[in-house]
Amino acid sequence: MDAPTKTAAACLPSNSKTAPPSTLVIFGAGGDLTKRLLIPAIYNLVNDQALDDKFQIIGVDLVPNDDQGFRNHLTENMRALIASGRGEFASAELDDQAWNWLISRTFYVSGDFGNIETFTKLKALLDQREQASGCGNAVFYLAVAPRFFGPVVEQLGRANLLDESGAHFRRVVVEKPFGTDLQSAKALNKQILKVADERQVFRIDHFLGKETVQNIMVLRFANGLFEPIWNRDHIDHVQITAAETVGVEDRGRFYDATGALRDMVPNHMFQLLSMIAMEPPNSFDADAIRSEKAKAVEAIRNLTPEEAVRNAVRGQYRAGKVLGKPVNNYRDEPNVSPTSMTETYVAMKFMIDNWRWSGVPFYVRTGKSLCTRRTEIGIQFKQAPHVLFRNLNVGEIQPNMMVFRIQPNEGVSLRFAAKRPGREVEIEDVRMDFRYSDYFKAEPSTGYETLIYDCLTGDATLFQRADNIEAGWAEVQPLLDGWAANDAPLEFYEAGTAGPAAADALLARDGFKWLPLT
Ligand code: BG6
């Protein structure tokens, strides 16, 4: 019995802030996600002293390379990223001490993801580490093209790399997109869960790494003020926006086969929707929270494909100017079909059929090449009865609107009516505004720091369970089917505008208006 106890002790973090010692194995080590987000996030974690002295990285990719070559490649890339000013870092120069600490713990295995030999080599390296340090914890991060998700996990299983019978943990992080529809998501879950236990699987949705998204739960459940009015008696409708100024950039091949609906709605938009709509969980435990979120999404009303099409708008951008810069027609973007029917914009209406939300519409919209970059959630409360001011000429009183600004200008605001100073009773809308930056100094963050740290510590709260993923796909499947039948109009909008007019009409039908984007 002695040996495992010793091993377990060696696997504990060196202090309460550091994650347990572990090896982060990155599949797709030469790819874009690794260089743009993962390595910068890990570097920020090093600066934050959140990693254990026994932490190490093993990069795996097809390109032949060795440890030193891989280290040089990462160093060049980090220097370029920091110099470009595009990254999220504490200082304008690479901190040599932190970087050297990290790079000296970085190794490389070259090999094909489909070939068992790659995994045998990897196993030998991990076993060697377990012998040397007494700790064999490992997290396998799949920063690879989605077609490799299933096969890589299968090979990990075949090579016995997911076996936790020693005193160590083995976890798998799966990136988005998780499937392309309900059927493929179910098949992928099945394939993964054949070799891994659900508690070993960490399905990423990077929106959950955003502080402001996590704050929705705190605002709702740590304050006595909001929850009593958070229901159909007081809320008129909810609107969720993720507007982007970027177009498809160099992702034409992926995007044209994907579109805005698959890319954003069952994942990111439903994360926001479920945070707003979920019931209070019994505890802050990962499963309690994820169960409530899944229930909220599952309560979305099932529609036929025809109904789903009637409650949605699909748009595609045409040439225009975004923030002063000319933008091509979507159909002229590289690797996009000149007759593409892919939507770069989607707006949808959902009804949630449960006790709390019956009769309250939830609208979501997301699109590319719009006039502004803004992710926000508007909660419109019911109009005051108005009786008191009926005989006064006070103009139209707007209903109260609470807005969660997810990004940028992170914060929360509340619109309400106030009396304009003067002898006459005149009413005007004013805003109470909380801005994160007025109260807190945020650490530089790519958004992946929290997610990587949580995965190393085994906290799955911010990751999607199989049922969360499937619930999301199940709710958008009727629209995917309806659009596939191809009788829904494609609304064109000029790049740099707020999107197609049909999206305004979707809300106007119910007597509502989107929050302005400009
Ligand atoms: C990604 C989508 O998941 O999220 C992109 O694939 C989108 O198309 C991005 O641009 C938006 O994330 P963020 O954090 O920039 O709002």
Side-chain angles (χ1 to χ4, degrees), residues 175-177 205-207 210 242-244 246-247 251 254-255 258-259 263-264 267-268 366 368 373 375 406-407 446 448:
E175 266 293 335
K176 155 186 179 281
D205 184 314
H206 81 275
F207 261 46
K210 295 182 195 286
E244 299 189 272
V246 287
R251 296 165 80 212
F254 160 78
Y255 198 85
T258 304
D263 192 35
M264 297 291 287
N267 31 63
H268 305 329
T366 180
K368 296 215 179 274
R373 171 175 177 253
T375 304
I406 305 295
Q407 65 189 16
T446 63
Y448 273 74

Side-chain angles (χ1 to χ4, degrees), residues 18-56:
T18 55
S22 42
T23 301
L24 182 66
V25 180
I26 305 177
F27 289 93
D32 191 56
L33 181 70
T34 304
K35 72 175 187 218
R36 231 171 14 90
L37 291 163
L38 299 185
I39 296 295
I42 295 165
Y43 166 73
N44 283 341
L45 286 172
V46 176
N47 272 318
D48 200 23
Q49 297 181 352
L51 299 178
D52 189 271
D53 214 40
K54 288 183 190 149
F55 175 80
Q56 74 174 7

Side-chain angles (χ1 to χ4, degrees), residues 444-501:
S445 165
T446 63
Y448 273 74
E449 289 78 356
T450 312
L451 297 171
I452 294 173
Y453 180 81
D454 283 3
C455 183
L456 297 177
T457 56
D459 181 350
T461 312
L462 300 181
F463 295 85
Q464 306 240 73
R465 240 174 19 196
D467 56 337
N468 298 101
I469 294 266
E470 290 175 17
W473 280 116
E475 299 309 334
V476 300
Q477 192 62 50
L479 186 56
L480 289 173
D481 294 342
W483 280 353
N486 236 350
D487 49 8
L490 180 64
E491 309 282 347
F492 294 101
Y493 61 98
E494 192 182 325
T497 63

Side-chain angles (χ1 to χ4, degrees), residues 12 49 72 107 112:
L12 290 176
Q49 297 181 352
N72 294 344
F107 306 91
D112 192 319

Side-chain angles (χ1 to χ4, degrees), residues 40-92:
I42 295 165
Y43 166 73
N44 283 341
L45 286 172
V46 176
N47 272 318
D48 200 23
Q49 297 181 352
L51 299 178
D52 189 271
D53 214 40
K54 288 183 190 149
F55 175 80
Q56 74 174 7
I57 295 179
I58 301 179
V60 186
D61 218 323
L62 186 61
V63 183
N65 210 343
D66 57 12
D67 295 343
Q68 196 50 48
F70 183 50
R71 290 172 186 180
N72 294 344
H73 160 77
L74 294 180
T75 307
E76 268 167 41
N77 175 66
M78 272 297 278
R79 285 199 198 286
L81 195 59
I82 291 184
S84 74
R86 277 186 290 113
E88 300 284 341
F89 305 110
S91 74

Side-chain angles (χ1 to χ4, degrees), residues 322-342:
V322 175
L323 307 175
K325 289 208 182 116
V327 168
N328 282 337
N329 260 327
Y330 171 71
R331 288 179 178 175
D332 297 333
E333 300 276 24
N335 299 315
V336 167
S337 151
T339 55
S340 173
M341 290 294 284
T342 298

